[in-house]
């Protein structure tokens, strides 16, 4: 797929991957062998009808392709961009053995973008049932659940704490990976077609409790994600210039801080940025930092500076998607593997002056199966940085659990829910996505939202009564 | 999009040259709001999210009263809005409410715009049966407001200004120290709300007397729900988030110098935004009130 050249894209927030042209999409679709037993579908958490949509695409039948897509997935433009297809559908493609799997994700994106522009096939909705469902959180899990429940004819209201729906798709994933126009477009489109009401600025647990929602609604789904940031327990984390990846990315993405002062929210990085962690969020934070440095240098002259990713394990253990790592490396992010911060050092005005790190080596595998990092004694050194961004994973925000007696949670703060159905221990409450699993992928959250929606629909039809009485 | 969002400004008052009061229609927020909590406000689609403490609420009318000082671009722009205008975002009630009970005798200290959030706390403390001794202060007479309202909920009210243009010529810490000395052993708790520097020195004043001192912190925030952590404050036991763990904290535990430094982090950007906005307003011929 065509991409923006690395030297150019590091100076802008425009999308990196440019998408297939019609010609490229058709040619790619022709490579699909249309297997009698397609394994690709088994790898998809929402079960997209992959051979069917590709077959229509190949025949030039765009409307057919969109229809096939929307049977299982109302948000193809989003999924086509952020799903880790290489470990889901594409790895199962029979052509993968030769290293030539069909680019299913890119084709999905092509169909999604076509539909956003053409709006051929509004999602269909069954006659109204009079039942009401509250969805808490408008991220991937909540949106998917909302779409599938609304299709059944139930009245759906989504409560979102921020001012714009989309959850991590809006505040977390940067514009250059997932344009916000795509997110707004697919959400608006689905909401319009299905009559879904979205209430932004509603922090459940504060403005309404879960119990109050259950007084008004027949069922509730919690898809509140994993929104709480973690900081390392080392000295110096409160100096100016130390922030969570959540804060940094929210300023950049949700608040459009990279367009300050046209937008009011400032965001700034210095000339020496250290991002701690090596997951997808770390890659996003590093690549945003690099772009901000470039923009600043374009406007004010001088050298842009450096962005480091500091990771305590080695290249082999990097948890980010291969493509994200590759793009980051291509753009000039410096990787400091087997390195761990031990203290952040402050200077004038309480600003970060440097970070003291220690070198690590890998020992025996730990509980996660990855080799555990062990500090090498006496290897401490100072890194001259002025900005430190922690991208160390997130946990569920407990606000939604205020006065939610009966809702069981694990010791990690995640909601206990049945994996197949999303049922929680609280009657008429389902949950799915990161609030149940801890931070995971967009599409696994969508899968959980879909499974819960199916169970909610069965419950509202009166077919099941999981909590008795 | 099928979004419901109506946060209309119903009423506006000018309390001083740079202090404005607005009554906002937000019925669901008003139903739950309690003294000590805050809301997040955003003016328009390009606006930033700022925390403002709840100065009052009316559950029946479905309104929340906010009071703000015009210090930067967002508060100055907010000050130009009029009744009938709508805010893009109004989220709340956020943070923990004040722990109201009958402590006996309490002191409520409010500085400048901090008088606004102090008022509902003093009122609730009075209603709970406390003897409420209040001290309000500002740089000068023009910046003082709600003297009458504070007097109505206080058993005793001391007014002071830095320049002596109203009441005593003193910083609030002076009468605070006198009260603590005069009523040694009698004062059970002190609330202090105002600029960080004032809360720092008020906390230092009460510390030798070992009187629990509650401060309400107003730090930089983005979401206000625990998501960003930009508001974190260092306490003796470690970092906490003002938005979800506060906004009230034990003033004796707060690392004030770290807090004051953190408030300055975006100072240059705030000035740039304010200047560009004022310049834009002059070009557009928009009347910019106050903001001396």
């Amino acid at each position: 797929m065509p991409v923006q050249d690395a030297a150019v894209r590091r100076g802008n927030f425009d999308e990196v991957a440019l998408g297939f042209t019609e010609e490229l999409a058709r040619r790619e679709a022709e490579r699909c062998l249309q297997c009698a037993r397609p394994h690709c579908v088994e790898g998809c958490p929402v079960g997209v009808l992959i051979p069917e949509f590709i077959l229509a695409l190949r025949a030039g039948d765009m409307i057919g392709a969109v229809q096939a897509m929307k049977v299982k997935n109302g948000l193809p433009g989003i999924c086509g961009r952020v799903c880790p297809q290489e470990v889901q559908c594409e790895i199962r493609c029979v052509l993968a053995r030769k290293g030539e799997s069909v680019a299913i994700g890119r084709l999905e994106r092509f169909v999604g973008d076509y539909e956003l522009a053409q709006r051929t096939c509004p999602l269909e909705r069954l006659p109204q049932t009079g039942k009401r469902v509250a969805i808490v959180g408008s991220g991937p899990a909540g949106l998917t659940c909302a779409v599938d429940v609304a299709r059944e004819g139930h009245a759906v209201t989504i409560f979102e704490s921020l001012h714009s729906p989309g959850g991590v798709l809006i505040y977390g994933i940067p514009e250059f990976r997932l344009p916000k126009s795509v997110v707004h477009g697919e959400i608006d489109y689905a909401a319009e077609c299905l009559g879904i009401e979205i209430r932004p600025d509603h922090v459940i647990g504060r403005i309404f409790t879960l119990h109050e929602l259950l007084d008004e609604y027949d069922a509730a789904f919690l898809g509140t994600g994993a929104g709480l940031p973690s900081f390392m327990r080392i000295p110096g984390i409160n100096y100016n210039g130390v922030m969570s990846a959540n804060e940094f990315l929210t300023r950049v993405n949700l608040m459009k801080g990279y367009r300050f002062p046209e937008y009011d929210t400032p965001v700034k990085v210095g000339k020496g940025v250290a991002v701690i962690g090596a997951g997808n969020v770390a890659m996003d934070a590093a690549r945003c930092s690099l772009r901000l440095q470039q923009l600043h240098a374009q406007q004010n002259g001088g050298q842009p500076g450096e962005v480091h990713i500091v990771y305590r394990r080695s290249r082999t253990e990097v948890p980010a998607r291969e493509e994200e790592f590759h793009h980051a490396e291509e753009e000039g992010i410096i990787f400091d593997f087997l390195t761990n911060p031990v203290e952040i050092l402050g200077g004038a005005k309480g600003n970060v002056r440097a970070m003291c790190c220690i070198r690590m080596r890998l020992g025996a595998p730990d509980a996660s199966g990855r080799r555990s990092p062990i500090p090498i004694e006496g290897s401490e050194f100072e890194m001259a940085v002025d900005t430190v961004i922690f991208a160390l994973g997130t946990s569920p925000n407990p606000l939604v659990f205020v006065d939610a007696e009966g809702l069981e949670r694990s010791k990690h703060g995640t909601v206990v829910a049945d994996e197949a159905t999303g049922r929680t221990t609280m009657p008429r409450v389902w949950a799915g996505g990161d609030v149940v699993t801890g931070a995971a992928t967009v599409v696994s959250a969508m899968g959980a939202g879909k499974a819960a929606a199916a169970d909610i629909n069965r419950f509202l039809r009166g077919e099941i009564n999981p909590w008795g009485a | 999009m099928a979004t419901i969002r109506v946060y209309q400004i119903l009423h506006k008052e000018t309390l001083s040259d740079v202090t404005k009061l607005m009554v906002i229609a937000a019925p669901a927020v008003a139903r739950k709001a309690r003294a000590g909590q805050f809301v997040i406000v955003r003016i328009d689609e390009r606006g930033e999210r700022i925390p403002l403490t709840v100065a009052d609420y009316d559950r029946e009318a479905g309104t929340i009263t906010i009071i703000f000082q015009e210090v930067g671009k967002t508060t100055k722009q907010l000050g130009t809005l009029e009744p009938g205008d709508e805010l893009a975002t109004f989220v709340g009630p956020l943070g923990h409410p004040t722990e109201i009970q009958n402590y006996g005798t309490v002191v409520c200290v409010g500085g400048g715009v901090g008088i606004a959030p102090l008022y509902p706390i003093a009122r609730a403390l009075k209603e709970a049966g406390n003897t409420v001794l209040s001290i309000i202060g500002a740089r000068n007479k023009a910046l003082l407001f709600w003297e009458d309202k504070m007097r109505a909920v206080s058993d005793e009210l001391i007014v002071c200004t830095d320049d002596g243009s109203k009441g005593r010529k003193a910083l609030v810490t002076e009468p605070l120290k006198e009260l603590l000395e005069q009523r040694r052993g009698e004062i059970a708790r002190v609330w202090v709300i105002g600029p960080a520097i004032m809360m720092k020195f008020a906390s230092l004043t009460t510390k030798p007397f070992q009187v629990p001192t509650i401060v309400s912190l107003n730090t930089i925030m983005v979401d206000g729900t625990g998501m960003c952590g930009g508001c974190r404050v260092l306490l003796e036991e470690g970092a906490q988030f003002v938005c979800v763990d506060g906004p009230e904290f034990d003033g004796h535990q707060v690392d004030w110098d770290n807090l004051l430094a953190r408030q300055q982090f975006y100072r240059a950007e705030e000035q740039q935004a304010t200047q560009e906005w004022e310049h834009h307003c002059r070009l557009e011929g928009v009347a910019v009130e106050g903001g001396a």
Side-chain angles (χ1 to χ4, degrees), chain B residues 23 43-44 83 88 108 110 139 181-182 234 248 263 270 282:
Chain B
V23 178
I43 297 175
D44 56 32
C108 292
R139 281 204 307 279
E181 280 167 349
Q182 288 159 12
L234 282 184
E248 293 189 353
Q263 288 189 337
E270 282 163 16
R282 276 194 295 276

Side-chain angles (χ1 to χ4, degrees), chain A residues 163 188 197-198 201 206 208 212 227-229 237-238 240 242 244 246-247 250 260-261 264-265 268 397, chain B residues 1-5 7 32 46 48-49 73 89 93 225-228 230 232 258 261-262 265 269 276:
Chain A
H163 55 259
D188 288 358
E197 177 192 56
I198 300 174
D201 313 326
R206 286 278 181 246
F208 305 125
E212 287 172 315
L228 284 197
I237 62 147
N238 240 32
N240 280 329
V242 183
S244 69
N246 261 7
E247 174 180 0
T250 301
F260 177 87
D264 289 345
T265 306
K268 63 177 172 188
N397 192 325
Chain B
M1 196 195 310
T3 44
I4 291 182
R5 187 173 358 218
Y7 316 112
K32 282 291 175 74
R46 293 186 177 185
E48 63 179 337
R49 297 166 65 99
K73 191 258 176 183
T89 296
T225 63
M227 207 182 96
C228 82
R232 63 195 188 280
N258 178 260
R262 286 184 69 79
F265 187 51
E269 288 76 13
E276 294 200 10

